[in-house]
Amino acid sequence: MFKQYDWLLCQNEPMTMTPRLPVNAPAERSRLIGHAAMLLLWVAALWLFMLQGRVLATGWVVAIWVVVSLVMLRGLFRRARIRRRAWRSAYLYPESPWNRRLRGGLCLFVIQLGKAGVLAAILLLTVVRIGEEPEIWRLMLVAVLLFVLVRAIADRVFWRDASPVYRPELLARVGQWGTGVVMVLCLMLWALVQPQPDFREATLEQALWHVTDREAAASVVVEKGTQWVAAWQGAEQWVAQQVTALDQPYWFRAGVWVSVLVRQSLFVMALVVLFNGVLAGRLRDGGA
């Protein structure tokens, strides 16, 4: 009996933790610079796709979409497995057969693959439509630095409190939300001051034809995709101007801004999911 009690006391003793390197330590600084460099290379790749996306053949566009989807899938599937592991440990006994069956296999992989494919398409189509807007690309560079710093700060804050098994999901979520909220707010403010075509005297059909006719590409996939995105934005602009001209109620105006928020949030979500995929497995709790 006493031996069992002593064993329980030993189990409750605090675990010794590996001392955390300060952020300004050479090794830690090199690690963060390496993470930022990897993300900057991917932003540069998106820039190149923006420059050549309208003239690439469909085969090349599909190949690029597959590569981006797989990078996103790397982070999405790993995070989903971690969340599934936490759910199993909370609700199921270790010896339960459902603990093994619900570990996350082909079904979970297919679901995350679908998410990655949709987000990759949104990211690439939005990048093509952005064009050489300097404000957006500067914001993406700021997002890289913010993403790396937020993850590093969260890693330092939760180093002694978060389980090494679940810390990757925690850091990915903190980095994703911290960067995403800042980017969405900046994009919403940018939408307020961005010049817009005058659709006050036009019908909705005329406005949609105006914005979609400007989207041309060698690939049918890119052309149709950018036309759909342009139609979404054009409908927002038309409705916003009609609402102002006809003095519609505030709830109707709020609906327009909700649409803008959703559109901007999808782009930001796709970007930070790509960032998480690039840095998946690069943490101290099992990565480099």
Side-chain angles (χ1 to χ4, degrees):
M1 176 179 177
F2 291 104
K3 290 183 178 180
Q4 183 179 5
Y5 182 73
D6 292 339
W7 179 83
L8 289 173
L9 288 177
C10 293
Q11 290 295 104
N12 292 327
E13 288 180 357
M15 296 177 60
T16 57
M17 302 294 295
T18 306
R20 189 72 172 94
L21 290 175
V23 177
N24 58 354
E28 185 70 6
R29 188 165 56 244
S30 299
R31 189 173 73 96
L32 298 181
I33 292 174
H35 289 180
M38 293 172 63
L39 298 182
L40 288 174
L41 286 176
W42 274 94
V43 172
L46 293 176
W47 170 268
L48 291 177
F49 181 78
M50 179 273 297
L51 294 177
Q52 303 297 325
R54 295 186 184 273
V55 298
L56 290 175
T58 301
W60 284 104
V61 173
V62 172
I64 294 171
W65 170 73
V66 169
V67 172
V68 175
S69 299
L70 292 177
V71 174
M72 290 183 174
L73 176 64
R74 181 171 178 248
L76 287 173
F77 185 62
R78 185 188 185 206
R79 293 182 58 195
R81 289 284 294 254
I82 294 174
R83 292 193 300 270
R84 181 68 62 86
R85 185 189 306 162
W87 182 87
R88 288 187 293 112
S89 64
Y91 288 99
L92 300 174
Y93 288 114
E95 62 273 11
S96 172
W98 288 103
N99 204 343
R100 177 179 53 82
R101 295 169 186 168
L102 298 177
R103 188 170 48 187
L106 181 60
C107 183
L108 187 64
F109 180 85
V110 171
I111 293 174
Q112 301 307 317
L113 179 61
K115 291 181 182 179
V118 172
L119 291 175
I122 291 173
L123 178 61
L124 294 177
L125 292 175
T126 306
V127 162
V128 171
R129 286 212 68 247
I130 285 173
E132 298 184 10
E133 289 286 350
E135 293 82 4
I136 303 298
W137 291 100
R138 292 190 190 113
L139 181 59
M140 292 172 68
L141 295 179
V142 172
V144 168
L145 300 178
L146 183 61
F147 187 81
V148 173
L149 288 178
V150 168
R151 282 173 58 114
I153 293 173
D155 191 15
R156 184 174 181 82
V157 169
F158 297 111
W159 180 255
R160 293 183 177 275
D161 301 305
S163 168
V165 178
Y166 304 113
R167 193 184 300 129
E169 167 61 14
L170 176 62
L171 300 189
R173 181 162 298 192
V174 171
Q176 182 171 302
W177 278 97
T179 307
V181 169
V182 173
M183 282 198 68
V184 169
L185 290 177
C186 291
L187 288 174
M188 294 292 289
L189 293 175
W190 181 72
L192 283 172
V193 299
Q194 185 183 15
Q196 299 179 358
D198 189 357
F199 291 143
R200 288 174 295 180
E201 302 297 330
T203 64
L204 177 59
E205 183 180 4
Q206 291 172 336
L208 295 181
W209 276 110
H210 174 76
V211 295
T212 55
D213 279 348
R214 303 170 62 184
E215 303 298 331
S219 170
V220 178
V221 175
V222 175
E223 182 173 344
K224 295 299 181 182
T226 52
Q227 285 178 350
W228 276 102
V229 178
W232 186 354
Q233 185 175 4
E236 292 172 351
Q237 295 170 345
W238 181 85
V239 172
Q241 294 177 22
Q242 299 302 316
V243 164
T244 303
L246 299 177
D247 195 21
Q248 295 292 334
Y250 287 104
W251 65 266
F252 201 84
R253 301 180 188 181
V256 178
W257 284 106
V258 169
S259 177
V260 177
L261 176 64
V262 170
R263 180 169 53 84
Q264 304 288 17
S265 298
L266 287 174
F267 165 65
V268 172
M269 183 189 303
L271 184 65
V272 294
V273 166
L274 176 65
F275 288 173
N276 271 326
V278 173
L279 297 185
R282 306 294 298 180
L283 302 175
R284 288 184 172 275
D285 46 36

